[in-house]
Amino acid sequence: MKPSERLNARLQGKPVDKIPNMNIAMGLVARAAGATYSEYVQDYRILVEGNLICAERYGFDTVSVISDPMREASAFGAHLVFPRDGVPYSNPPLLADGLDKSRIQIADPLESPRTLDRIKGVGLLREKVLTDYPVIGWVEGVLAELADLRGVQTLMLDLVDEDERLGELMDIILAQQCRFALEQIKAGADIIGVGNAVASLVGPSLYETYALSYDKALVRFIQEHGAKVKLHICGNITMLLPLLVHVAPDIIDIDWMVDFHKASEVFADTKTSVCGNVDPVSVLLKGSPALVEQKVRECLSLEDATVLVAAGCEVPAQTPIENLLLMDRLLYLP
């Protein structure tokens, strides 16, 4: 089966020859392309080259434009720093001085260099893989984007203080994320990944108050415009799982510290496939082949015909090739 056929069948609970390998890679992609991280996040051609290499070399069943969380922040007007071998960041964050909505404006993603670069990446991946591989676009979740613009620690204080201006800012951000997602769908994305890592730092009450409705709206918008959604909230989201059922993404990533079997039970009667949840560091990066096999088989032991397998979060760039190849071999069904 082609990877696209494989993933579509698995999401529907139909027979497949292999459980789709849904590993997320960024530093590994840059390394495969022989590039620095800074080059990888600023040149879509390098990103595409590295993705194609990783898909063929390691058996990944998707190609993706995930790279860093600061694409939209740049479009909003943040000044970014690009470390040679690190993730871009803004210093200071654009809204570090206050929750002034006039500081951010909805921008055309086709006119901002960093969002346009990602859109071009989607288009080139689509051109290169045709229909063989699913192409994953990427946007930040609304709460995550606000954290990028405000700073994580400052945003946590805002949430506790229940600042009423948060809603106005999040409305603007939602409109921007929808527009960015739509341009990636137009360019050929089959799936849009929504990264909302900061949500793992808040409890159910704050998540329900400040993030749930925005995640639901963004997911629904993407699905209504013809793409599937892969929700990625790394960290321990155990307490959020019952709420995330209502977000209804097509795929939800489950990090290694969450009980994978419990997550599967929570989503058992839904249309959401759970994806995970091998520890990327202690197992894939540092673990023996025996440990890799043990942990992958634990994921495969779920009595769930739609389960997907991947590291719980990004595969480290220095992960031994033999561990990645072993993981992929274990995903083939008898």
Side-chain angles (χ1 to χ4, degrees):
M1 300 179 78
K2 295 178 181 179
S4 289
E5 297 170 337
R6 185 177 293 138
L7 179 58
N8 287 332
R10 188 64 176 177
L11 292 177
Q12 299 175 60
K14 295 180 179 180
V16 292
D17 60 335
K18 170 194 172 187
I19 309 300
N21 183 334
M22 300 292 288
N23 275 324
I24 292 174
M26 292 179 278
L28 187 73
V29 170
R31 186 181 181 192
T36 65
Y37 205 89
S38 178
E39 292 168 336
Y40 154 72
V41 301
Q42 295 186 81
D43 189 336
Y44 72 95
R45 293 162 295 188
I46 293 173
L47 180 149
V48 167
E49 178 187 0
N51 265 270
L52 297 176
I53 292 170
C54 287
E56 182 166 349
R57 183 179 294 171
Y58 305 123
F60 296 170
D61 283 297
T62 63
V63 289
S64 174
V65 293
I66 185 174
S67 64
D68 68 275
M70 301 304 292
R71 302 261 181 180
E72 298 97 309
S74 177
F76 278 126
H79 174 73
L80 301 187
V81 177
F82 292 90
R84 183 179 187 276
D85 290 305
V87 178
Y89 63 93
S90 58
N91 186 22
L94 182 63
L95 299 179
D97 294 335
L99 296 168
D100 180 0
K101 68 178 182 179
S102 69
R103 296 284 304 279
I104 64 172
Q105 300 293 329
I106 296 176
D108 185 345
L110 296 173
E111 294 184 358
S112 174
R114 297 217 67 228
T115 49
L116 178 59
D117 183 81
R118 177 169 284 173
I119 294 164
K120 286 182 175 180
V122 170
L124 185 56
L125 281 171
R126 179 85 285 154
E127 176 186 328
K128 293 290 186 180
V129 304
L130 300 178
T131 60
D132 289 353
Y133 284 83
V135 175
I136 302 179
W138 205 269
V139 299
E140 292 297 289
V142 175
L143 189 65
E145 183 57 30
L146 186 53
D148 294 334
L149 296 171
R150 185 75 167 126
V152 173
Q153 293 182 345
T154 305
L155 177 60
M156 293 300 107
L157 296 174
D158 294 334
L159 296 177
V160 172
D161 291 340
E162 300 181 346
D163 196 306
E164 60 186 21
R165 292 171 295 177
L166 291 171
E168 297 177 343
L169 284 165
M170 294 176 81
D171 288 343
I172 295 172
I173 292 170
L174 174 63
Q176 182 67 39
Q177 302 310 78
C178 288
R179 191 169 183 178
F180 189 26
L182 182 58
E183 291 299 338
Q184 293 177 70
I185 295 169
K186 289 179 180 178
D190 305 288
I191 302 168
I192 298 294
V194 175
N196 206 3
V198 75
S200 67
L201 302 179
V202 303
S205 178
L206 286 176
Y207 178 81
E208 186 171 14
T209 300
Y210 290 104
L212 179 60
S213 63
Y214 290 100
D215 280 350
K216 288 172 65 176
L218 181 56
V219 168
R220 185 165 55 250
F221 176 89
I222 293 166
Q223 291 169 336
E224 289 175 348
H225 285 82
K228 293 180 171 61
V229 178
K230 181 175 184 283
L231 179 62
H232 183 85
I233 305 177
C234 49
N236 191 345
I237 60 171
T238 301
M239 299 299 291
L240 299 182
L241 292 176
L243 291 171
L244 294 173
V245 167
H246 301 290
V247 177
D250 300 275
I251 302 166
I252 184 164
D253 288 346
I254 305 297
D255 210 345
W256 66 269
M257 66 286 292
V258 179
D259 186 315
F260 200 41
H261 287 255
K262 180 177 180 179
S264 177
E265 291 172 357
V266 172
F267 288 92
D269 296 321
T270 72
K271 295 182 179 180
T272 300
S273 295
V274 296
C275 178
N277 74 332
V278 178
D279 187 330
V281 177
S282 68
V283 176
L284 285 182
L285 176 64
K286 299 180 179 179
S288 65
L291 182 61
V292 172
E293 180 167 359
Q294 174 192 337
K295 294 302 182 181
V296 171
R297 291 197 183 281
E298 286 177 7
C299 294
L300 294 174
S301 70
L302 267 66
E303 295 181 1
D304 182 341
T306 68
V307 68
L308 305 168
V309 177
C313 199
E314 178 190 2
V315 173
Q318 302 300 323
T319 299
I321 292 176
E322 55 268 26
N323 282 356
L324 289 169
L325 296 179
L326 172 59
M327 180 177 181
D328 190 62
R329 288 198 300 273
L330 292 167
L331 299 182
Y332 281 91
L333 300 176

